Amino acid sequence: MRYNDFNRKHRRLAILRHLEACTDYTSNASILTDVLDHVGVASTRSQVVTELQWLKENGFIITQENGDFVVATATLSGAEIATGRATHPEIQRPSPKA
């Protein structure tokens, strides 16, 4: 697996895990960019928005967009991926809890 593919899969999981942990399962692209940097998956805002679009197209989130401001909310399928109860080949599987 190429390094960029690994990062993309990990970025998708980190987004879903953050949304699953948020009240109302909701966050915005700017906060997600900061969160990803904090967990070691350095990402540009453009990369985050691209992944949000992919997650939306695949039914893992819904979005509300107002110009450049993008708000994402996890769906049930997205929350199941985040917690490891479901998997998808294009999203990193979470590590088991210790």
Side-chain angles (χ1 to χ4, degrees):
M1 177 185 307
R2 294 182 340 196
Y3 182 73
N4 286 340
D5 294 335
F6 176 79
N7 267 350
R8 184 176 57 251
K9 289 179 180 187
H10 193 79
R11 187 177 295 117
R12 291 171 181 167
L13 175 62
I15 290 169
L16 291 174
R17 289 177 89 175
H18 177 72
L19 293 174
E20 195 274 331
C22 288
T23 303
D24 297 329
Y25 303 94
T26 300
S27 190
N28 67 58
S30 294
I31 290 172
L32 287 164
T33 302
D34 291 344
V35 167
L36 290 172
D37 286 344
H38 183 72
V39 298
V41 186
S43 304
T44 65
R45 189 170 187 292
S46 177
Q47 288 172 318
V48 171
V49 170
T50 297
E51 296 308 338
L52 291 176
Q53 184 62 35
W54 185 91
L55 290 166
K56 178 182 175 181
E57 289 171 1
N58 285 277
F60 299 118
I61 65 169
I62 58 172
T63 61
Q64 295 176 324
E65 300 177 34
N66 186 3
D68 288 339
F69 190 73
V70 180
V71 176
T73 303
T75 63
L76 177 60
S77 297
E80 288 177 342
I81 294 282
T83 59
R85 293 191 305 177
T87 61
H88 187 281
E90 293 301 318
I91 302 174
Q92 179 72 34
R93 186 172 182 212
S95 299
K97 304 279 188 233

